[in-house]
Amino acid sequence: MARRKKIYEGKAKILYEGPEPGTLVQYFKDDATAFNAEKKATIEGKGVLNNRLSEFFMTGLNQIGVPTHFLKRLNMREQLVRSVEIIPLEVIVRNFAAGSMAKRLGLEEGQPLPRPIVEYSYKDDALGDPLVPEEYIIAFGWASQQDLDDIVALALRVNDFLSGVMYGVGIKLIDFKIEIGRVYDGDFMRLVVADEISPDSCRLWDMKTGRKLDKDVFRRDLGNLAEAYTEVARRLGVMPSNVTPASKPTLIN
Ligand code: TMP
Ligand code: ASP
């Protein structure tokens, strides 16, 4: 039985037609992929956790005046969002060296950067989302210089908000990725934070122990991913009551 029209299916989420024009329903799957889907698994409960966590971060951003596509959570796995035109870029903000930057420049992971660094990857799975300079973005018309100035301002506000929220629960925000969408209001176009903000798209390290609480747990086989995400949700007070991690959570003092 086709309940509603599927608009798009990605690796971790599905977008369905929303109840009103200009809206979509964003469904969070339990699927996890890494290294451009070379590595795949189903992690029970991940979709529920990311739905809650993304709701939490997007609601906070809306409340401090950073516009996002988020409207409301509908149920355990779905949220109502504004339909946007996605800019084909992954906007990455880094506070500490890690991942591909650490590898590219031979830096030690966790090394503080002189200032937050914003970089862009062109969203194309077939190409493996290559890092692109601003000049390519403007020359190929993916975004204008004005858009990029606005994107950097948005990304840095998201960075300050997320860094502060995570600091409050003893977690260091190493880096994260966001996606930006265009919303048209009559003749005006606005840029909003879209997609999701969750431990799938951030690097989160415990402040005291350095324990990784993000998708690197899956990428690097460091343990139980649902347990790590549950820990983030628990510390933020957004632990959904009926999700139990596959194994016992560790108590922290
Ligand atoms: P990187 O160090 O692998 O380039 O990743 C930088 C940040 O972007 C990190 O927080 C993980 C996130 N990220 C995604 O959300 N999706 C991706 O496809 C990749 C490669 C990274
Ligand atoms: N590259 C993404 C990641 O590692 C996932 C994927 O492309 O399959 O986060």
Side-chain angles (χ1 to χ4, degrees):
M1 185 182 71
R3 196 155 60 96
R4 56 196 163 174
K5 192 169 160 197
K6 194 191 275 188
I7 305 288
Y8 176 81
E9 178 157 5
K11 287 176 284 198
K13 298 185 296 296
I14 305 173
L15 291 173
Y16 295 100
E17 196 170 65
E20 280 156 39
T23 66
L24 294 173
V25 172
Q26 180 165 266
Y27 175 98
F28 288 76
K29 301 195 274 188
D30 279 343
D31 297 351
T33 68
F35 315 119
N36 211 3
E38 261 174 49
K39 181 170 177 172
K40 287 185 209 171
T42 302
I43 315 274
E44 206 182 319
K46 180 175 87 87
V48 174
L49 287 156
N50 281 354
N51 186 27
R52 289 283 184 149
L53 285 163
S54 202
E55 171 196 16
F56 176 79
F57 296 125
M58 296 283 187
T59 302
L61 287 169
N62 285 339
Q63 282 171 349
I64 64 162
V66 177
T68 81
H69 73 157
F70 180 82
L71 294 170
K72 67 172 181 181
R73 188 169 57 80
L74 297 170
N75 55 50
M76 296 286 281
R77 287 188 181 271
E78 294 176 332
Q79 45 185 245
L80 186 69
V81 298
R82 287 191 70 154
S83 167
V84 304
E85 186 184 292
I86 288 283
I87 295 180
L89 297 173
E90 301 206 329
V91 179
I92 295 161
V93 183
R94 300 179 187 272
N95 297 305
F96 299 87
S100 65
M101 172 192 250
K103 204 170 164 189
R104 189 176 313 113
L105 301 181
L107 301 174
E108 196 182 323
E109 288 205 307
Q111 182 179 320
L113 297 172
R115 55 171 223 189
I117 293 179
V118 181
E119 65 183 41
Y120 310 94
S121 293
Y122 177 53
K123 262 173 74 72
D124 185 322
D125 280 343
L127 299 174
D129 298 340
L131 187 69
V132 287
E134 281 201 10
E135 189 152 8
Y136 286 21
I137 297 170
I138 293 161
F140 291 110
W142 302 322
S144 67
Q145 183 64 60
Q146 180 62 57
D147 291 335
L148 286 178
D149 292 348
D150 294 345
I151 289 170
V152 169
L154 274 178
L156 292 177
R157 284 197 77 193
V158 174
N159 186 39
D160 284 344
F161 171 76
L162 286 181
S163 295
V165 167
M166 299 316 301
Y167 174 77
V169 295
I171 294 173
K172 199 191 257 192
L173 178 66
I174 301 294
D175 58 28
F176 66 93
K177 182 266 298 189
I178 49 172
E179 295 187 22
I180 304 289
R182 299 181 194 277
V183 174
Y184 296 92
D185 286 321
D187 283 347
F188 293 95
M189 185 277 293
R190 287 190 304 128
L191 297 176
V192 304
V193 178
D195 190 51
E196 73 181 293
I197 299 178
S198 75
D200 267 11
S201 53
C202 301
R203 281 200 174 89
L204 306 170
W205 294 7
D206 179 80
M207 208 87 87
K208 275 200 220 143
T209 64
R211 177 186 165 199
K212 293 182 172 59
L213 298 168
D214 58 65
K215 208 165 94 175
D216 275 348
V217 171
F218 170 71
R219 292 190 191 97
R220 304 178 187 189
D221 297 316
L222 300 175
N224 184 319
L225 190 75
E227 200 176 292
Y229 287 21
T230 301
E231 176 63 16
V232 176
R234 193 191 64 73
R235 289 197 200 181
L236 292 168
V238 295
M239 178 65 195
S241 52
N242 48 352
V243 173
T244 36
S247 58
K248 235 175 86 192
T250 25
L251 288 174
I252 58 153
N253 301 309

